[in-house]
Structures are given as structure tokens and as C-alpha cells.
Amino acid sequence: VAIRTFKAFVGIDVGGTFTKMAAVTEAGRVRLEEKLPSQVEAGPASFVDRVSGVVERWIEQGLRPLGAGLGLAGDVDSRRGELRFTPNLGGWDGFPFKRALERRLKTRVVVDNDANAAVWGGYVAELKRKPRDVVGITLGTGVGGGLVLGGRLHRGATGSAGEIGHTKVAPGGELCHCGGRGCLEAYAGSYGILRLAKRLLEKDGSRGRRLLEISGGADKLEPAHLSKAADAGDPIAQEVWVETGRKLAVGLENLILVLNPDVVLILGGVSRAGRWLLDPIEAHLAAQPFRTAFSRARVKMADNPNAGCVGAALLAKEA
Ligand SMILES: [Zn+2]
């Protein structure tokens, strides 16, 4: 039986728990996808072996790889294709991902920060590359960011540009996973959001009765429960989103003044909170007296769970 072959770029998005992979055609269409556990503790060589196994299976199904992109959570040296520093992929720093994957897959590999990949995916797939200047922010356990300036991903002097999650929104404030205090991530990352919710529940649990019903207890609380409970009228859940939105708005206010973007694109699971998050952001931005940049910047939410791996594939195409 003759197999119909097709050309595509392979995108690999590595999170602390799961890795998502996709084969994406030049036109941006996802032909194959796969989700597998990252198994961080098994080490990077084992990881490279398992993702390569998936690609080799796809090749048997007709894939002809045009290149591959790998998005890693942490500070990435994209020239060398290595992780310099990573709070979430312990023990993976210093491993030569680019070299190991190129040797095994015999195709060109680009390695970048996972948020850069996701924002590029959102820029191409959601915004169709129309606006020139875009600030992208990814909301998950951590808060990542990416900058598209003049239609191109801006990496900065060391490839570390766009670390929006670690810009400060409250000097001396809450503790962040990076070790700093008052970072945006310490408020808008899922652990910061849950920290606030639990604190409010401890103070007056009767106000969060609906939230506790939905989550099945304070210890089982997840951001999705907060969205549901806010819709159901729970005052604590609503307060948490308003507070989270306000902190996000402060971070975005600074970025809008510095970069004057056409669009602020919010990506990631927490963006499912929708209006609860968007309303306090828009209210804050509308109240800024220095108008021009704020009148221009449109805030858009995109809940595309594949933005990371599609973006990694599209970065390989760009290279
Ligand atoms: Zn931080």
C-alpha cells in the first residue's frame, strides 16, 4: 500500500507536566498531534528519545519533516539550543537539545522559550500576522511573555526579552517562583491566584460557599473552579478575578507605555476566565490619562491549547 506523504514542520511544546507535539503544514494546518508526559525527572536524553520516537512514527505515516521547533520553559540560549536557567524543568539546563534532536531527526531544529513560541503561534494563527506590534502574555502556572515588534519576534541581546511575568507590579510584594518579590507572576500565575483565593477563604469561608462546593474543598481548588464560581455569583471568586485583573492591568499599562502595541494578546488556560479578567483590565486601561497608546491597544484573549506547539513549528518555518 502506497503511503501518501506530506511535508510539515514539527512543533514541540514542553511544559512541566505534559509535552504537546504537532506536525504543522506550511499553511499552518495541524496534520498530526500528540500529547505525552514530559517526565522531567527521567532527564533530557530520555525526553529527546521519546519525542524522536513520535516523529519517527509520524514519518512512517507519511510525514516528511521540513524542520522542527522546540519550546522550553525557561531562559533559552537559542543560538546554542540549550536551556540556561529553568525553575520548572529541573536538571535539564545545559543539555544540548538542538544538537541531540538534529542528530536523531536529521532535520534542522530551532530551540526557543515556550512563551515566545506560544505568542508567535497566536500572532500567526489568531492575528494572521496583521498587526505590526503585539505584546503577548501566557497565563499558566507561570506567566510568560513574548514581543512581536515590526512583525518579528523580538528576542533581545541574550534571547531573554519579554519576561513579562517577572516585571514588578508591587515592590516588596508576594513571593514569586523565581525567588523575587512582587513579580506579576506572583499574582497572575495560577499559584498566585490560588494563594489569594485560599487566603480569602480562610478569612471568611462563608463568602466562598459556592466556590467550595464547586471545587470540593479549599485544598482541591483550581483556576477553572474560580471561573465557574464567579459565573455562579460567588463573591470570593469574583474578588479574586478583579484583583488578578488589576495586577495584570498594572503590568500591561507599563508595557503599553513602553511599546505602544496594536494588540495585547492574552493566551493560556486562565484566559478562560473571560470577562471576569478582561473587565478590570479594560477599566484600568481606560482610566489612564495619557491617552493615545491606550486608545490604540486592543486587549484580546485567545484560548488555543495548541498555540505553544503550533508556534514552535511556525518558528522552525521562520528560521
Ligand atoms: Zn519572578
Side-chain angles (χ1 to χ4, degrees), residues 165-168 175-186 191:
H166 304 285
T167 58
K168 304 298 179 276
L175 192 60
C176 175
H177 275 181
C178 76
R181 279 196 177 276
C183 299
L184 176 57
E185 175 176 308
Y191 65 91

Side-chain angles (χ1 to χ4, degrees), residues 43-56:
S46 152
F47 171 79
V48 165
D49 185 49
R50 284 182 301 118
V51 295
S52 300
V54 172
V55 176
E56 284 159 1

Side-chain angles (χ1 to χ4, degrees), residues 230-255:
D231 286 337
D234 184 273
I236 284 189
Q238 292 178 357
E239 187 178 338
V240 167
W241 288 125
V242 169
E243 272 311 305
T244 304
R246 280 185 186 146
K247 286 294 191 298
L248 265 167
V250 173
L252 294 178
E253 173 192 347
N254 290 326
L255 287 165

Side-chain angles (χ1 to χ4, degrees), residues 8-13 19-25 29-35 54-55 58 63 67-69 306 308-313:
F9 294 91
V10 173
I12 308 166
D13 177 33
T19 291
K20 285 186 179 173
M21 298 175 65
V24 182
T25 66
R29 196 159 77 85
V30 175
R31 288 289 304 260
L32 294 165
E33 50 189 326
E34 177 101 16
K35 185 176 169 183
V54 172
V55 176
W58 286 354
L63 168 69
N306 288 329
C309 58
V310 170

